Amino acid sequence: MTLRRALLPLAVLCAGTGLSAQTIDPLAPTGAWSAYQVGSAQLPPMGWNSWNAFFTEIDEEKLLGSAQRILDTGLAKKGYRFINIDDGWWLKRRTGDGKLIIRADKFPSARMKRGDPSFRPLTDKLHAMGFKAGIYSDLGRNSCSQAYSDGPAQLPEGTMAEREVGLYGHSDQDIRLFFADWGFDAIKVDGCGIRAFTADAERVRSGQYRALSPLIDQHSVTRSNIPAVKALFADINRSLARYNPDGDYMLSLCIWGSANVRSWGKDVGSISRTSDDISPDWGRMLTNYDSAVRRAFYAHPGSWNDPDMLFIGKGDFDANHLTEARSHFALWAMMNAPLLIGADLRTTPQPLLDIFGNAALIAVNQDPAGNQATLAFDSDGLQILVKTLANGDKAVALFNRGLAPVDAVLTADHLKFRADRAVALSNLWTGAKSDFTKETKFHIAPRETVVFRASGTRMLADGLYLSEQPGAVNPAADGVVQPEPDPTIYRSIPGWRGTRGIGERPMYAGWGGAMADATPYNQALTVAGRTYAAGIGILANSRLEVRNAGFARFSAQVGVDDSSLDGEQTVRFYLYGDGKPLASSAPLRRGAAAQPLEADVKGIAVLELVARADGARGNAVPVTWGDAALRR
Ligand code: GLA
């Protein structure tokens, strides 16, 4: 190879080879933003889903009853617009032509004078009411209720082949039916069909269902076939684009944090479940919350973390537990989670409707900047979440996870506001106004979440730290070579299994991913003894894409983090603007002082921050983009 050829950019070398620069080198700059942007979820979707209220026993009256209440109570005006049918709607797949047949006894409007049942009258009605309509399917041949439901309630009927209602082998045909023929606007795609129908599963051995060699093992990321799962979603995306020329669709991934989806779901769908199902138990809510709360960089306009639907209305979140119900809602709002009501609204008491209708919290969730909250203070007892809003204000939540009251100190530092200037607070539950300088104290009751909107004088007067704008930062490659289970996620007793078996050991991969104001393993960012309160922690061999909303300068202090186990490995840092090199560092190893990396970025749309380990690598090396910021 001549030197000249060696210096050609990868993109040029790859031209005509059928390979992209990314297949050869995932750290090669692309000048593009690669997270999911198609579809209609520029803001976290809001609406209602049938599952938590009714499980498989859904029917038209129940669905329209809740939809009507959303209109009548004013919740529709506040943004609740999706009405989603979950599992339980299908009767069978007709074997002759593979067409799905609706359970028309439960959806009378689907009965046609001539021809097969159709959901078109129902979606027409929902559209006329101002709603969007969602449907449910599965990646495999069979659905979750077929795998797990206790009784026969509204399970598909007929021969084994007729009961194969999932997308497997029918994905294009079904998506055409759902979107082009029936007029749906959203689809939730579950994954039990590619997980639960092993040859030795009881329902397979008894001859009820056909075996499908699993692609997902929820308890083991190493036993999951990640490329195969991604390929199924790629098919779905192709069909969604084909049958929705207007781009008005929402794809909800439901593989419960398995197969390392917490790291790649953002590239594949509008929302992506980060954990197994929520249940109306405090402990389970904690599990689901924990599965999303440290994933702020993996959520952006168009691609949100989904810790599951709201369970307000039942159990620990019913009208006798307003503190818990309010916490659940506030945390979901702060995390930019979809706000999907899972209650039978026909009978939901007013105090719970008031929670769903809290306009100030809805505004936090729907803030156009799309920044998921990050943890400003972390402990197993109390956490402080801070979310940067489009106008520079902060939403701040003080969350008491436990059963004892906590005296919590909120500081201006937590908000990245100046400690010598007043900070104004507005309580988003009570409307009460207050202010403080430097710090203030709150008594937080057990399981309570106190939430404020805060305005103050920014510490970084002329810009935003990247960790304040996770909605604009995408870890296109996060350096994780072999995904590992995340040990920080609360391990609750699953309601559906109780204490049978050995309990939930750490199982949700994603540990070691990019973190805001912390290393990938949740420690303080520190380079050569100097600690950075703001910055991005990520492993080496990573590439971050950053959208630049009109800023003029980029600056950071870069280095290998002191927490690296490997003291020898050198890492170089590179900054690109719209695919072109802007700045780079010398090779740095642990203990070397951080180096400044700065560039003029005026007019640049996408920056890329690459940390590349030199030569062969041993341990994954945590690196720190200290004080990384975009400035005016
Ligand atoms: C899975 C999903 C739930 C729900 C059920 C339906 O458990 O995670 O959200 O859709 O299937 O059977």
Side-chain angles (χ1 to χ4, degrees):
M1 193 194 285
T2 64
L3 184 62
R4 204 178 139 63
R5 185 167 157 78
L7 289 176
L8 283 176
L10 267 177
V12 176
L13 289 175
C14 295
T17 62
L19 294 169
S20 72
Q22 293 301 298
T23 355
I24 296 177
D25 177 8
L27 307 186
T30 64
W33 175 263
S34 62
Y36 200 77
Q37 301 180 81
V38 294
S40 60
Q42 278 308 297
L43 295 172
M46 296 174 65
W48 180 90
N49 176 296
S50 54
W51 182 252
N52 289 351
F54 303 115
F55 301 108
T56 46
E57 282 161 87
I58 177 62
D59 63 37
E60 186 164 340
E61 197 187 311
K62 290 171 177 165
L63 180 115
L64 288 175
S66 281
Q68 190 61 47
R69 289 286 291 158
I70 291 181
L71 276 183
D72 297 346
T73 54
L75 289 175
K77 272 203 217 80
K78 292 184 168 164
Y80 292 90
R81 42 195 337 226
F82 283 96
I83 303 292
N84 297 342
I85 307 176
D86 209 283
D87 206 348
W89 63 267
W90 32 33
L91 182 63
K92 63 176 183 187
R93 185 184 291 285
R94 186 164 60 205
T95 39
D97 58 358
K99 187 172 181 191
L100 286 169
I101 306 296
I102 300 164
R103 198 171 258 289
D105 58 330
K106 299 292 174 190
F107 294 91
S109 78
R111 276 189 216 122
M112 300 287 104
K113 283 212 187 72
R114 249 171 293 126
D116 301 325
S118 166
F119 269 131
R120 181 58 86 162
L122 180 62
T123 62
D124 280 350
K125 173 147 199 177
L126 288 170
H127 290 147
M129 292 166 87
F131 292 117
K132 287 178 179 287
I135 187 87
Y136 169 90
S137 193
D138 195 285
L139 289 170
R141 296 192 190 105
N142 298 101
S143 75
C144 289
S145 55
Q146 289 178 308
Y148 298 114
S149 133
D150 289 338
Q154 293 190 212
L155 292 187
E157 294 170 13
T159 63
M160 186 193 283
E162 285 172 328
R163 284 182 282 109
E164 293 184 347
V165 293
L167 294 171
Y168 203 79
H170 294 274
S171 155
D172 192 67
Q173 176 184 15
D174 291 356
I175 286 168
R176 177 186 185 148
L177 181 70
F178 299 153
F179 288 84
D181 298 352
W182 290 349
F184 282 100
D185 312 288
I187 184 169
K188 170 173 169 182
V189 180
D190 221 325
C192 294
I194 58 164
R195 137 183 163 199
F197 297 87
T198 54
D200 62 356
E202 209 220 286
R203 293 176 193 199
V204 171
R205 276 192 289 126
S206 67
Q208 256 183 296
Y209 300 109
R210 192 153 45 130
L212 184 65
S213 179
L215 300 176
I216 284 174
D217 183 326
Q218 244 199 315
H219 295 271
S220 163
V221 67
T222 53
R223 284 197 299 267
S224 297
N225 185 342
I226 299 172
V229 180
K230 283 186 173 175
L232 292 176
F233 282 121
D235 283 347
I236 290 170
N237 269 307
R238 265 191 296 276
S239 301
L240 283 171
R242 189 173 299 141
Y243 301 117
N244 290 282
D246 61 355
D248 187 5
Y249 59 89
M250 204 270 284
L251 170 60
S252 155
L253 313 188
C254 184
I255 59 166
W256 338 275
S258 71
N260 197 31
V261 71
R262 290 166 80 229
S263 293
W264 55 261
K266 65 181 176 58
D267 304 328
V268 169
S270 316
I271 62 178
S272 175
R273 282 275 298 277
T274 48
S275 69
D276 207 335
D277 292 7
I278 192 167
S279 60
D281 307 289
W282 183 256
R284 195 70 209 169
M285 189 280 289
L286 288 182
T287 304
N288 287 42
Y289 156 81
D290 281 346
S291 72
V293 74
R294 292 186 183 82
R295 311 302 292 168
F297 285 128
Y298 297 81
H300 321 97
S303 58
W304 309 102
N305 288 318
D306 177 7
D308 207 356
M309 300 164 290
L310 298 165
F311 228 133
I312 292 168
K314 277 194 192 163
D316 287 349
F317 310 105
D318 69 9
N320 298 318
H321 298 87
L322 290 176
T323 300
E324 285 84 351
R326 287 194 189 110
S327 282
H328 182 8
F329 192 75
L331 296 171
W332 263 233
M334 291 292 288
M335 291 193 295
N336 291 353
L339 297 179
L340 292 172
I341 297 171
D344 181 354
L345 291 175
R346 298 171 306 177
T347 56
T348 300
Q350 191 59 43
L352 297 180
L353 293 176
D354 291 343
I355 295 177
F356 295 133
N358 183 320
L361 274 168
I362 292 172
V364 164
N365 176 265
Q366 299 285 299
D367 182 78
N371 296 317
Q372 177 174 326
T374 61
L375 284 171
F377 176 85
D378 196 4
S379 78
D380 291 334
L382 186 115
Q383 291 170 318
I384 300 178
L385 289 87
V386 176
K387 178 180 191 325
T388 305
L389 303 173
N391 73 347
D393 282 0
K394 303 278 182 171
V396 52
L398 294 94
F399 171 37
N400 182 352
R401 301 165 62 104
L403 289 174
V406 175
D407 284 319
V409 176
L410 174 70
T411 67
D413 283 357
H414 288 140
L415 303 166
K416 297 190 166 63
F417 284 160
R418 280 177 58 165
D420 58 347
R421 301 287 173 83
V423 177
L425 296 178
S426 163
N427 185 313
L428 300 188
W429 289 118
T430 65
K433 310 269 187 242
S434 59
D435 51 59
F436 74 93
T437 349
K438 190 160 185 238
E439 61 179 51
T440 181
K441 201 187 266 185
F442 298 100
H443 188 74
I444 317 283
R447 296 183 169 176
E448 187 185 18
T449 305
V450 179
V451 206
F452 301 97
R453 195 171 174 118
S455 45
T457 308
R458 298 181 47 74
M459 257 186 302
L460 186 71
D462 66 339
L464 269 187
Y465 291 115
L466 296 190
S467 59
E468 293 181 285
Q469 42 177 331
V473 178
N474 175 36
D478 65 11
V480 173
V481 179
Q482 178 54 61
E484 282 179 67
D486 182 341
T488 65
I489 296 174
Y490 184 77
R491 298 168 307 120
S492 51
I493 303 169
W496 50 93
R497 205 168 36 235
T499 58
R500 288 178 203 91
I502 62 163
E504 287 202 346
R505 308 305 168 95
M507 62 192 239
Y508 299 111
W511 188 226
M515 296 268 277
D517 304 337
T519 73
Y521 301 115
N522 205 23
Q523 304 189 351
L525 296 170
T526 313
V527 178
R530 180 169 163 203
T531 296
Y532 295 88
I536 299 180
I538 192 166
L539 294 177
N541 288 333
S542 54
R543 181 171 62 86
L544 293 155
E545 297 162 354
V546 180
R547 277 179 159 151
N548 176 20
F551 291 98
R553 271 201 88 61
F554 170 87
S555 63
Q557 298 283 328
V558 299
V560 171
D561 196 88
D562 287 359
S563 63
S564 173
L565 297 176
D566 188 333
E568 296 308 314
Q569 177 69 58
T570 51
V571 177
R572 283 179 224 239
F573 296 77
Y574 301 84
L575 177 69
Y576 299 90
D578 291 336
K580 301 200 183 65
L582 297 179
S584 62
S585 78
L588 299 168
R589 61 164 61 87
R590 190 185 68 198
Q595 281 200 355
L597 208 67
E598 293 196 20
D600 182 341
V601 298
K602 215 177 288 150
I604 284 170
V606 176
L607 293 167
E608 283 162 278
L609 280 53
V610 172
R612 195 187 277 276
D614 292 306
R617 48 179 309 206
N619 290 314
V621 173
V623 301
T624 287
W625 295 84
D627 287 342
L630 283 163
R631 328 281 283 255
R632 307 238 170 262

